[in-house]
């Protein structure tokens, strides 16, 4: 974990070296909505149980570039929750998205880029979890946002690229073999940011 934090810090520092006019740092936070399968089915479930599959994130970001195109690296602690047949799968991770963005019109901007993830902890209700297959994985962020001075709001979609499973054994049923949960992120992320 120390190596991951060091790499993230070095990446942020490196981007600072190429900073131009529209540069700065800030803090961010918000809500994550994790999907299980089809988003439309998940949305219906969310309407009936609003707190289902909702997590949160907090972190810092840098923004570097000219007035039209920018690079935005972030370091974010994320806590997600997924509901599987009335049991919760919780995951804590560090995310390091490196986003390339374009300012479109006025305060509107769009962005996309890879997200490097390091899984810190996983927990499943009533179930013993073996190790997640890979603690480190890569995903993709794509989204849009608006900025009002130092305040920004964005909505993005995140999806993991590679299969990453956690295996578990149900402690109540001993005659069944291990089961698996796909731990790849598949979520909508709503963020509020403040430039410092």
């Amino acid at each position: 974990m120390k190596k991951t934090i060091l790499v993230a810090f070095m990446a942020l520092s490196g981007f600072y070296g190429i900073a131009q006019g529209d540069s700065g740092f800030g803090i961010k936070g918000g809500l994550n909505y994790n999907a299980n399968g089809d988003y439309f089915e998940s949305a219906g479930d969310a309407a009936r149980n609003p707190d289902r599959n909702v997590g949160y994130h907090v972190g810092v970001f840098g923004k570097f570039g000219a007035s039209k195109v920018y690079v935005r690296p972030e370091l974010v602690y994320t806590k997600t929750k997924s509901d599987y047949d009335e049991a919760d799968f919780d995951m804590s991770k560090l995310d390091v998205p490196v986003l390339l963005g374009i300012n479109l019109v006025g305060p509107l901007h769009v962005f996309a880029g890879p997200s490097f993830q390091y899984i810190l902890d996983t927990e499943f209700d009533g179930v013993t979890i073996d190790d997640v297959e890979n603690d480190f994985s890569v995903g993709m962020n794509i989204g849009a946002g608006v900025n009002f001075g130092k305040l920004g709001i964005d909505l993005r979609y995140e999806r993991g690229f590679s299969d990453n499973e956690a295996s578990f054994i149900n402690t109540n049923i001993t005659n069944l073999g291990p089961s698996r949960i796909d731990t790849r992120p598949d979520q909508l992320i709503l963020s509020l940011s403040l430039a410092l």
Side-chain angles (χ1 to χ4, degrees), residues 26 34 49 51 110 153 175:
N34 223 22
N49 302 304
D51 63 339
V110 294
I153 300 172
N175 61 348

Side-chain angles (χ1 to χ4, degrees), residues 89 122-124 127-134 164-170 177-183:
F89 176 68
T122 55
E123 182 180 326
F124 197 78
V127 173
T128 303
I129 294 185
D130 292 342
D131 292 331
V132 174
E133 187 176 306
N134 296 308
N164 197 24
E165 296 179 331
S167 59
F168 63 91
I169 300 169
N170 191 330
S179 298
R180 299 191 186 331
I181 294 176
D182 189 351
T183 63

Side-chain angles (χ1 to χ4, degrees), residues 169-177:
I169 300 169
N170 191 330
T171 56
N172 296 327
I173 305 172
T174 57
N175 61 348
L176 294 178

Side-chain angles (χ1 to χ4, degrees), residues 43-190:
D45 291 338
R48 290 185 290 278
N49 302 304
D51 63 339
R52 181 180 182 192
N53 293 3
V54 175
Y56 65 88
H57 65 276
V58 294
V60 295
F61 68 89
K63 184 177 178 185
F64 312 108
S67 59
K68 188 71 175 169
V69 178
Y70 64 88
V71 175
R72 180 175 164 148
E74 301 176 349
L75 177 60
V76 182
Y77 171 79
T78 303
K79 180 83 169 172
T80 62
K81 180 172 86 171
S82 300
D83 187 62
Y84 292 93
D85 296 324
E86 306 303 321
D88 291 333
F89 176 68
D90 295 319
M91 182 166 55
S92 302
K93 60 185 180 137
L94 281 180
D95 290 316
V96 182
V98 181
L99 306 171
L100 178 64
I102 299 173
N103 294 313
L104 295 177
V105 178
L108 181 64
H109 59 100
V110 294
F111 54 85
S115 179
F116 305 95
Q117 297 133 13
Y118 181 76
I119 297 173
L120 300 170
D121 188 33
T122 55
E123 182 180 326
F124 197 78
D125 287 348
V127 173
T128 303
I129 294 185
D130 292 342
D131 292 331
V132 174
E133 187 176 306
N134 296 308
D135 288 338
F136 182 78
S137 64
V138 179
M140 176 73 169
N141 279 204
I142 185 168
V146 291
N147 289 333
F148 303 103
K150 292 182 177 273
L151 187 65
I153 300 172
D154 70 64
L155 179 66
R156 67 183 71 173
Y157 172 72
E158 179 182 61
R159 178 64 178 165
F161 285 144
S162 57
D163 290 341
N164 197 24
E165 296 179 331
S167 59
F168 63 91
I169 300 169
N170 191 330
T171 56
N172 296 327
I173 305 172
T174 57
N175 61 348
L176 294 178
S179 298
R180 299 191 186 331
I181 294 176
D182 189 351
T183 63
R184 277 183 296 184
D186 184 16
Q187 59 187 337
L188 290 174
I189 303 168
L190 179 64

